[in-house]
Amino acid sequence: MASDILTSTFLRIRGRLLASARRLLADDDAADDALQDAFYRLWQHRHNIATTAQAEGLSVVAVRNTCLDTLRRSSARPTDSIELLSADIPDNSTDDPADRDDLYNSVKAIIDSRLSPREKAVIAMRDTEGMDFADIAEELGISEANTRMILSRARRTVRDIYLSSQKRQTI
């Protein structure tokens, strides 16, 4: 019953929610994505929604918060064009096994020398063993969000150190 209330209310006010999302995001695709994300968030709590008024209010708030989250993410990580990004990355694409081994060894040396034991463990579990974030978090006794953050920071550290060493070699 609660899912019927949520679904019917969300569909009834979808036009108004979409207009609100477009005002905040100024992009039709991003606004559609925000509506889908908001509905997904609400769907997880559908059993707690008892009335149409409650569903409508939660829908408006969920869409607004999803739009704000999208804006925060995009301002925190401004995007550059692919051409600008690829200009900074040395071309290491090769079919030569010796070059690949050198690349692997240099990245492995960075991981061994510059990362903390926890970062090493997270990288090994995720990239080598292919474990899910939930399994890694459970094994290390940390949250899944913390696991993602540790992995992201570790990869960024390795990338930054590798790129700076490549720039020094070319100078």
Side-chain angles (χ1 to χ4, degrees):
M1 181 67 183
S3 61
D4 292 340
I5 292 172
L6 174 63
T7 305
S8 64
T9 303
F10 198 89
L11 290 175
R12 182 175 47 83
I13 63 171
R14 185 180 187 286
R16 189 174 81 192
L17 295 173
L18 188 58
S20 175
R22 283 182 180 150
R23 274 193 308 275
L24 289 170
L25 298 176
D27 180 15
D28 290 345
D29 291 335
D32 287 334
D33 290 344
L35 256 63
Q36 290 177 2
D37 289 345
F39 187 78
Y40 176 74
R41 289 179 184 180
L42 288 171
W43 188 257
Q44 294 174 354
H45 302 285
R46 67 187 175 275
H47 301 294
N48 300 329
I49 300 173
T51 65
T52 303
Q54 185 181 17
E56 187 172 335
L58 287 172
S59 297
V60 170
V61 171
V63 168
R64 184 194 69 219
N65 289 345
T66 302
C67 290
L68 293 176
D69 289 347
T70 302
L71 290 171
R72 285 185 192 119
R73 274 194 307 267
S74 65
S75 68
R77 287 181 273 163
T79 56
D80 291 329
S81 70
I82 297 294
E83 294 80 28
L84 291 175
L85 292 174
S86 63
D88 293 338
I89 300 172
D91 184 19
N92 288 326
S93 59
T94 180
D95 292 331
D96 186 15
D99 288 342
R100 256 188 275 133
D101 289 343
D102 289 343
L103 175 62
Y104 174 79
N105 289 333
S106 63
V107 170
K108 181 80 170 121
I110 293 169
I111 291 171
D112 290 341
S113 66
R114 301 295 292 268
L115 296 183
S116 69
R118 180 176 275 180
E119 290 171 327
K120 289 178 194 176
V122 170
I123 281 185
M125 286 185 234
R126 179 68 180 171
D127 293 339
T128 306
E129 299 170 22
M131 292 175 65
D132 291 331
F133 286 108
D135 296 335
I136 297 170
E138 184 178 322
E139 188 166 320
L140 295 178
I142 57 178
S143 70
E144 192 172 331
N146 196 10
T147 304
R148 291 178 191 276
M149 182 183 64
I150 290 169
L151 180 64
S152 174
R153 287 181 179 170
R155 286 177 175 168
R156 184 177 13 177
T157 300
V158 170
R159 182 186 65 234
D160 292 345
I161 293 170
Y162 177 77
L163 290 175
S164 68
S165 70
Q166 291 299 310
K167 285 181 182 178
R168 274 188 261 127
Q169 288 178 2
T170 58
I171 294 177

